[in-house]
């Protein structure tokens, strides 16, 4: 990817899409590339926050863990996705860990440049407030699912959510373009792999999903979305 590709990645990032040209030039100048090998820790929960990263190639897993070592996957990110946004706007430690799932290259945006843009551009500050509000609404929705939905419904909802970012959807059928193992799904929902296996088997028996070559397909997105 050329430097112009770096500019495109920044322009496509939802945080910076509406920046004025002069502010965007400041952002480009301050950004730099970073590379990480497969399974390399990019940062850990509790680390001092330094800035935002945008994935240019590869993939990143965002996750949290408890004192017993149990892990919960918060997100699986791919090319074009950004992570570490909170670090741009507060000085508190990292709220989650980030690990490269394969050889990965990121564009790094330091927190200092965000501070400069916030001071110089009130419209940018307003946009950030709106984005943070959207994030809060999404987190509230996810918390409600954990509290009030059974595992079957939570898994159905998670598969449908993943389909919109990791699958090709045609004629109410979603074919995932990457593999999600039962262990991956278990870590996303905070349950055992055995519990996921049981529910996936149930979905398959009902004609809602199928697995071929290790890749999952949703055979009826509408039915799975409305699963009771």
């Amino acid at each position: 990817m050329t430097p112009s590709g770096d500019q495109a990645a920044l322009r496509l990032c939802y945080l910076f899409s509406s920046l004025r040209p002069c502010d965007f030039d400041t952002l480009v100048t301050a950004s730099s590339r970073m590379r990480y090998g497969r399974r390399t820790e990019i940062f850990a929960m509790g680390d001092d926050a330094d800035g935002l990263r945008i994935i240019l190639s590869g993939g990143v897993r965002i996750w949290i863990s408890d004192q017993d070592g149990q892990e919960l996957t918060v997100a699986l990110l791919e090319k074009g996705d950004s992570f570490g946004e909170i670090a741009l706007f507060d000085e508190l430690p990292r709220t989650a860990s980030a690990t490269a799932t394969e050889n990965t290259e990121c564009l790094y945006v330091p927190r200092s440049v965000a501070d400069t843009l916030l001071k110089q551009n009130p419209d940018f500050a307003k946009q950030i407030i709106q984005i943070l509000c959207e994030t809060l609404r999404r987190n509230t929705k996810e918390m409600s699912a954990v509290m009030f939905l059974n595992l079957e419904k939570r898994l159905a909802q998670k598969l449908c959510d993943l389909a919109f970012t990791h699958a090709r959807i045609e004629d109410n059928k979603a074919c995932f373009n990457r593999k999600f193992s039962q262990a991956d799904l278990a870590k996303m929902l905070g349950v055992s792999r055995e519990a996921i296996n049981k529910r996936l088997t149930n979905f398959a028996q009902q004609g809602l999903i199928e697995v071929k070559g290790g890749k999952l397909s949703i055979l009826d997105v509408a039915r799975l979305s409305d699963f009771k």
Side-chain angles (χ1 to χ4, degrees):
M1 183 177 291
T2 64
S4 62
D6 292 355
Q7 294 180 29
L10 287 166
R11 182 64 73 187
L12 290 172
C13 179
Y14 68 100
L15 289 173
F16 310 123
S17 59
S18 62
L19 278 180
R20 300 172 304 189
C22 59
D23 291 334
F24 189 73
D25 290 341
T26 299
L27 183 69
V28 171
T29 301
S31 302
S32 59
R33 291 191 178 202
M34 293 185 170
R35 294 179 175 84
Y36 308 94
R38 182 172 180 265
R39 296 183 180 178
T40 297
E41 181 183 90
I42 299 173
F43 54 73
M45 183 168 61
D47 282 355
D48 290 337
D50 57 354
L52 163 80
R53 289 164 176 79
I54 302 171
I55 302 174
L56 300 176
S57 64
V60 173
R61 175 183 174 231
I62 307 299
W63 57 282
I64 58 177
S65 62
D66 62 15
Q67 294 180 345
D68 297 325
Q70 294 182 320
E71 298 179 1
L72 178 67
T73 298
V74 177
L76 291 171
L77 307 178
E78 298 179 336
K79 179 181 177 180
D81 292 328
S82 59
F83 60 100
E85 293 93 334
I86 295 176
L88 292 179
F89 311 113
D90 67 23
E91 299 180 1
L92 298 177
R94 293 287 187 184
T95 58
S97 300
T99 302
T101 56
E102 55 189 290
N103 291 334
T104 297
E105 186 171 24
C106 295
L107 195 61
Y108 167 67
V109 181
R111 187 174 62 205
S112 57
V113 71
D115 290 339
T116 299
L117 295 178
L118 287 170
K119 293 174 182 177
Q120 295 177 348
N121 189 343
D123 289 337
F124 177 59
K126 182 178 179 180
Q127 178 187 352
I128 296 305
I129 292 172
Q130 293 173 335
I131 289 171
L132 293 178
C133 287
E134 291 173 4
T135 301
L136 180 59
R137 289 178 182 274
R138 184 172 62 252
N139 290 344
T140 301
K141 178 182 176 182
E142 293 176 355
M143 186 182 302
S144 296
V146 171
M147 293 297 295
F148 302 119
L149 299 180
N150 61 34
L151 180 54
E152 284 84 356
K153 182 61 178 177
R154 287 172 58 203
L155 178 57
Q157 180 176 297
K158 176 59 68 174
L159 290 175
C160 290
D161 289 345
L162 289 171
F164 284 105
T165 52
H166 299 285
R168 184 182 73 257
I169 303 177
E170 294 180 357
D171 299 326
N172 198 38
K173 180 178 180 180
C175 299
F176 284 87
N177 52 34
R178 58 160 296 169
K179 293 181 179 179
F180 288 102
S181 68
Q182 293 178 8
D184 289 334
L185 294 172
K187 287 182 178 179
M188 292 180 197
L189 296 175
V191 298
S192 68
R193 187 192 64 79
E194 291 76 15
I196 294 296
N197 176 271
K198 181 178 179 180
R199 274 69 184 185
L200 290 178
T201 299
N202 181 36
F203 289 165
Q205 290 173 345
Q206 295 184 57
L208 294 171
I209 68 167
E210 67 177 1
V211 179
K212 289 184 178 179
K215 288 187 177 181
L216 186 148
S217 295
I218 301 175
L219 303 180
D220 193 327
V221 175
R223 280 181 60 206
L224 189 64
S225 179
D226 293 334
F227 185 84
K228 305 297 183 182

